[in-house]
Amino acid sequence: MKKIVNVIIAILVSILLMPEDCSATKKLIFATDPFPPYYYKEDGTTKGIQVELAKIVFSKMNTQFKIEFVPWKRALLMAESGKVDGIFGLRKTKERQSWLIYPEEPLMNITSTIFKRVDDPFIYDKISSLEGKNIGIIKGYTYGKIFDNSTLFKTEEVKNIRQNFLKLMAGRVDLVAGYRIVGNHILRNMKLESKVVPSPVAIHVTPLYIGFTHKPGNEKIVREFSNMLKEFKNTDECDEIMHKVGLPPEMKTPCK
């Protein structure tokens, strides 16, 4: 009887001393603002192309994650102050690298371009073609250094691209700068896809990452996530899953 008790005690002690990542699934919390169709919340459920991609990779790491959707500035403050484990879907900048850890592998590349009314004969081919135009942009967003720093045209800032499309239809701006896939998604929801179209020529192509805060253990998580993401993108399974989640017809698969 004494031997049995000793065995039970030994088992209990080994369980208590077991490393956390072996005894329980890790859970990470990220902050961001909605960015459909890449990541957003609908009917209380977090959805999106990049969400599905991240789900697969994190599941292979035995890690769960949750996304809190808040205004962009608040998301940055939450990450910088360590209230969350990172930011879901952001650009890599030198300033942010001082307080965020970036994986080597981005989630996806996104393309920004110019949107115009169908009845407008304007054709965008390069920055100089925008000379004299009044262009709607989103506050806090970037469209590449060349566009952001240009003095050839005027810009008007709003909170979201939906407002810009309404201004475009009302003739209050000449053109709208925006991310092609996001803009097309919003236009379909607004039933304006036959009235507003994107240019086939890109302004800029931007990689989007998950940025992790400098919390203990996150450096190891970042390395593992980056390696597994890159490995998964090279599989047939990646293509299959991306098509199942309903990639927009104008969007290329992020898989390699």
Side-chain angles (χ1 to χ4, degrees):
M1 184 68 181
K2 186 176 180 181
K3 288 184 178 180
I4 295 175
V5 172
N6 288 338
V7 170
I8 294 173
I9 291 173
I11 293 172
L12 290 174
V13 170
S14 65
I15 291 174
L16 290 173
L17 295 177
M18 188 179 296
E20 186 178 350
D21 59 352
C22 295
S23 61
T25 300
K26 298 182 288 293
K27 186 165 186 178
L28 302 171
I29 299 176
F30 301 109
T32 194
D33 63 344
F35 198 55
Y38 292 107
Y39 41 88
Y40 59 101
K41 183 168 278 191
E42 185 177 78
D43 300 326
T45 302
T46 300
K47 299 180 178 180
I49 301 163
Q50 291 186 6
V51 171
E52 294 304 316
L53 185 59
K55 275 183 182 178
I56 296 295
V57 177
F58 277 126
S59 68
K60 293 177 182 293
M61 297 169 57
N62 194 33
T63 300
Q64 296 178 355
F65 73 97
K66 175 184 176 184
I67 298 177
E68 293 186 4
F69 290 100
V70 296
W72 183 243
K73 285 187 177 180
R74 190 188 304 173
L76 292 173
L77 289 172
M78 289 171 71
E80 194 168 4
S81 62
K83 292 182 179 179
V84 290
D85 294 289
I87 298 181
F88 196 96
L90 84 167
R91 296 178 303 110
K92 183 188 291 187
T93 67
K94 287 184 179 180
E95 186 274 327
R96 290 173 184 167
Q97 283 180 282
S98 65
W99 50 274
L100 284 176
I101 312 168
Y102 284 86
E104 289 185 10
E105 186 72 17
L107 279 171
M108 291 181 182
N109 292 326
I110 60 170
T111 300
S112 54
T113 191
I114 293 293
F115 290 83
K116 68 167 189 173
R117 295 185 304 276
V118 170
D119 58 5
D120 185 348
F122 170 80
I123 296 176
Y124 173 78
D125 58 1
K126 52 187 175 182
I127 292 294
S128 60
S129 62
L130 300 174
E131 186 171 5
K133 298 294 185 179
N134 187 24
I135 305 173
I137 63 173
I138 300 176
K139 187 175 183 180
Y141 278 37
T142 179
Y143 306 93
K145 287 183 179 180
I146 296 175
F147 181 95
D148 295 346
N149 297 329
S150 178
T151 57
L152 292 172
F153 48 84
K154 294 180 180 179
T155 58
E156 291 188 16
E157 293 183 336
V158 294
K159 292 182 179 179
N160 58 65
I161 199 168
R162 182 183 294 269
Q163 290 176 275
N164 270 331
F165 287 146
L166 292 174
K167 290 175 70 175
L168 181 64
M169 293 304 299
R172 293 169 56 197
V173 292
D174 301 315
L175 304 165
V176 169
Y179 296 117
R180 181 180 291 143
I181 304 301
V182 177
N184 284 340
H185 179 85
I186 299 299
L187 286 171
R188 283 192 286 268
N189 287 345
M190 297 175 73
K191 303 188 185 304
L192 290 176
E193 66 268 36
S194 63
K195 296 181 179 180
V196 178
V197 292
S199 166
V201 179
I203 300 173
H204 188 64
V205 177
T206 307
L208 282 191
Y209 298 81
I210 297 179
F212 294 75
T213 56
H214 285 275
K215 287 187 175 181
N218 273 2
E219 286 191 10
K220 181 180 178 182
I221 292 172
V222 169
R223 287 195 300 271
E224 186 179 0
F225 177 82
S226 185
N227 291 336
M228 288 200 170
L229 176 60
K230 189 173 183 178
E231 183 179 308
F232 177 66
K233 283 183 178 181
N234 283 294
T235 64
D236 292 335
E237 183 187 1
C238 181
D239 276 318
E240 292 171 7
I241 289 173
M242 287 295 98
H243 287 296
K244 280 182 182 178
V245 299
L247 287 177
E250 67 276 17
M251 181 178 176
K252 293 181 180 179
T253 173
C255 311
K256 297 175 182 177

